[in-house]
Amino acid sequence: ASGGFIGSFALMDILNGQIKNVEAPGGGSYDTDAGLLKKIKSPEPLRLVRPDWHFWDANWWPDWSASAKKLAWFYENSDGSTVDGVIGFTPTVMEKILKVMGPIDLKDKYGVVIDSDNFWQVTQEFAEQKPNVTKQPKKIIGDLMNKIIEELPRRLNKNNLVPMLKAIEESLADKNILFYFTDKELQDKVESLDWGGRIKETSGDYLNVVNTNIAGGKSDRKIKQQIIHQAKILPDGSVIDSLTVKRTHEAIKREKFSGVRNVDWLRIYVPAGSKLIAAEGFRPVDKIFFKVAEDGWQNDPEVYAAESLAKTDSLSGTKIYDELGKTVFANWTQLDPGETIEIKLKYQLPFKITDKKLNPDPGLFDRLMAKAGSLINPEQKNLYSYSLLLQKQPGMNSSTLETELKLSDNFKPIWNFPSDLTVSQAGWFRTENLDQDKLTALMVEEK
């Protein structure tokens, strides 16, 4: 959920801002298996693979802070040390860095030169080697990281410094690099820079479409996703949202790594208290394929808190529960190479836009809206606002976004954010790439 499957990890020692040591276990995240003595029940969807939970599947939540804490817990309880922080980054980051700094020669050890074009393919081929070939299939990752750390300072110059900084800046903005620290001062700084991958609070509408590929190979790399969100404001100010998630599998059947069925546990995070009206397009996985946890295994408290209170929609089989301050609608999708599917949901928000007039309150966005309202509303007519915060899933780099707001005739738009938003008397319509979190808002006057 937050960045993808963790196949490899490294321990990094830092002193006074200097990297002193990087150690990447040759077996990757599976090297933590032997040291875990506790038996923890995995989240129910993960039981399609195995009933017990481990380090490599611990980034279960779209909130990086929640996932990072669980990763640290699993590592410590798998005979590892305590850690001061967890930094996650996707293969996309390595591709961007290699594109700027140039190829890395690993011919002495591995017989390959790795560059931005072949990084993913080469590392996957080595990582998937069977035990009869090597007991350390992930070792190439650690050796590559050490080589980059060694050579990067020598390769940086006036011509590539700005492109390198831009590559890092883009990776931070689009959540391909995420930080979590146990030190409160460091963590507060990370969150102030919006580098923490947190599920954000908002008093308005909210959407986060979260995909979790379970037993679907590397098929996510070939999935294109379109998110279509429409909010309809009724005459009494209540809001009905309609959501379509369109997913296309662009791989060829049996294509290496990616040409397999994409099996996806899809979670839709919406404002807490939202009521599901209808859901369709899901494709459940047969129950016979799920493993059963044994008696005596422990429940994870965070997972159990959501699963134990979940309700199931009788018509669609959609799970409904509360987590991370949101209501979640969750269900299975399955998508074969060359196939396109559409998942549709309709739900009512837990508030009306007329529930409160615009007045300054502790929220920065609401204060700005109230200030704007006082400047453009000298007659003190009733002003209300609708806002949509749509968060990008960490590591998901192939989603496009289409949002629409339909206003009832008794509301008139008078101010919008961002300033280039195309607005009419009927509302707004906008299309864009979901490359980072998006906030869109409209202030309306009651006729």
Side-chain angles (χ1 to χ4, degrees):
S2 46
F5 175 73
I6 298 175
S8 301
F9 77 100
L11 298 174
M12 182 178 291
D13 296 321
I14 302 173
L15 180 64
N16 297 325
Q18 299 293 318
I19 298 173
K20 296 297 183 181
N21 184 52
V22 176
E23 176 189 341
S29 56
Y30 294 121
D31 277 3
T32 62
D33 188 18
L36 183 63
L37 302 180
K38 298 178 180 179
K39 282 291 187 179
I40 311 297
K41 295 178 185 177
S42 61
E44 289 177 0
L46 279 177
R47 294 178 199 174
L48 180 59
V49 179
R50 59 187 302 161
D52 51 336
W53 204 14
H54 289 264
F55 171 85
W56 52 84
D57 284 326
N59 61 326
W60 178 245
W61 295 275
D63 183 290
W64 179 242
S65 177
S67 287
K69 289 175 184 176
K70 195 60 63 178
L71 283 163
W73 184 91
F74 267 106
Y75 182 70
E76 182 182 349
N77 284 272
S78 300
D79 203 26
S81 62
T82 58
V83 296
D84 301 300
V86 186
I87 303 172
F89 60 93
T90 67
T92 302
V93 178
M94 297 298 289
E95 289 168 344
K96 288 183 175 182
I97 290 174
L98 288 169
K99 188 172 183 178
V100 176
M101 72 175 292
I104 299 294
D105 189 342
L106 295 179
K107 285 187 291 188
D108 286 349
K109 282 190 175 182
Y110 301 98
V112 294
V113 175
I114 296 181
D115 58 25
S116 60
D117 294 326
N118 69 10
F119 166 77
W120 189 84
Q121 187 74 24
V122 170
T123 54
Q124 287 301 320
E125 288 175 353
F126 275 90
E128 297 292 331
Q129 288 178 325
K130 303 300 181 184
N132 63 330
V133 178
T134 177
K135 301 294 185 184
Q136 295 185 311
K138 316 285 188 176
K139 191 173 186 299
I140 188 173
I141 302 292
D143 290 341
L144 177 62
M145 287 179 61
N146 279 309
K147 195 78 169 178
I148 289 174
I149 292 169
E150 176 188 337
E151 293 198 11
L152 183 59
R154 294 199 295 266
R155 295 199 192 183
L156 284 177
N157 54 57
K158 63 180 181 180
N159 296 319
N160 64 20
L161 179 58
V162 171
M164 180 63 74
L165 292 173
K166 184 179 179 182
I168 299 299
E169 183 182 31
E170 288 176 351
S171 298
L172 291 165
D174 61 21
K175 300 186 188 179
N176 280 304
I177 303 177
L178 294 171
F179 297 89
Y180 169 76
F181 295 105
T182 58
D183 181 273
K184 185 178 183 304
E185 185 177 352
L186 275 175
Q187 184 62 16
D188 287 346
K189 183 64 175 177
V190 162
E191 293 190 16
S192 72
L193 293 167
D194 204 16
W195 295 348
R198 294 297 297 265
I199 295 290
K200 297 176 181 176
E201 296 180 5
T202 176
S203 60
D205 202 352
Y206 177 89
L207 179 65
N208 196 341
V209 176
V210 178
N211 298 279
T212 302
N213 174 11
I214 301 175
K218 306 295 182 182
S219 54
D220 277 344
R221 193 170 176 87
K222 294 289 186 173
I223 300 294
K224 298 297 181 186
Q225 178 171 269
Q226 185 180 14
I227 298 170
I228 304 169
H229 179 275
Q230 182 196 83
K232 188 174 183 180
I233 299 179
L234 305 182
D236 67 349
S238 57
V239 186
I240 303 294
D241 281 3
S242 298
L243 174 68
T244 299
V245 180
K246 184 176 180 180
R247 290 170 61 80
T248 299
H249 197 327
E250 296 186 340
I252 301 169
K253 193 172 183 178
R254 289 188 288 274
E255 180 180 340
K256 193 169 186 179
F257 300 124
S258 302
V260 296
R261 174 175 293 177
N262 181 263
V263 183
D264 182 36
W265 179 246
L266 179 63
R267 287 172 277 180
I268 312 293
Y269 287 72
V270 298
S274 297
K275 302 298 182 184
L276 183 66
I277 298 171
E280 61 181 68
F282 293 107
R283 185 179 172 186
V285 178
D286 196 305
K287 293 181 180 179
I288 65 171
F289 294 110
F290 290 84
K291 283 74 175 175
V292 178
E294 295 182 15
D295 293 338
W297 288 8
Q298 299 177 34
N299 286 309
D300 177 82
E302 285 78 23
V303 172
Y304 185 74
E307 292 184 346
S308 62
L309 298 177
K311 298 178 180 179
T312 302
D313 176 60
S314 58
L315 293 177
S316 66
T318 301
K319 294 276 189 182
I320 305 168
Y321 58 94
D322 292 327
E323 184 176 80
L324 299 170
K326 312 295 179 188
T327 288
V328 185
F329 305 134
N331 207 334
W332 289 99
T333 73
Q334 299 184 66
L335 185 60
D336 288 322
E339 191 177 22
T340 295
I341 57 170
E342 288 190 2
I343 297 96
K344 297 179 181 291
L345 293 93
K346 189 175 184 180
Y347 52 95
Q348 182 169 357
L349 299 191
F351 55 82
K352 299 178 179 181
I353 68 166
T354 53
D355 284 346
K356 64 174 183 176
K357 296 180 182 178
L358 281 172
N359 292 303
D361 70 18
L364 174 60
F365 179 72
D366 289 316
R367 291 202 303 272
L368 291 173
M369 292 287 280
K371 185 173 180 61
S374 66
L375 294 174
I376 62 180
N377 183 36
E379 298 177 19
Q380 295 299 301
K381 294 182 180 180
N382 287 340
L383 297 184
Y384 307 102
S385 70
Y386 169 82
S387 63
L388 171 64
L389 173 59
L390 204 152
Q391 287 201 266
K392 174 187 180 291
Q393 180 183 4
M396 182 66 179
N397 301 316
S398 57
S399 287
T400 58
L401 176 63
E402 181 180 302
T403 61
E404 182 180 14
L405 175 66
K406 287 191 170 184
L407 285 173
S408 169
D409 289 340
N410 54 334
F411 296 106
K412 174 187 175 182
I414 59 173
W415 182 86
N416 56 269
F417 177 87
S419 59
D420 64 349
L421 180 66
T422 302
V423 177
S424 69
Q425 292 300 307
W428 81 54
F429 181 83
R430 186 176 181 89
T431 60
E432 56 192 323
N433 287 325
L434 185 53
D435 52 359
Q436 53 187 278
D437 293 350
K438 305 287 182 178
L439 175 65
T440 314
L442 195 68
M443 184 186 297
V444 297
E445 172 184 282
E446 191 171 28
K447 295 182 182 177

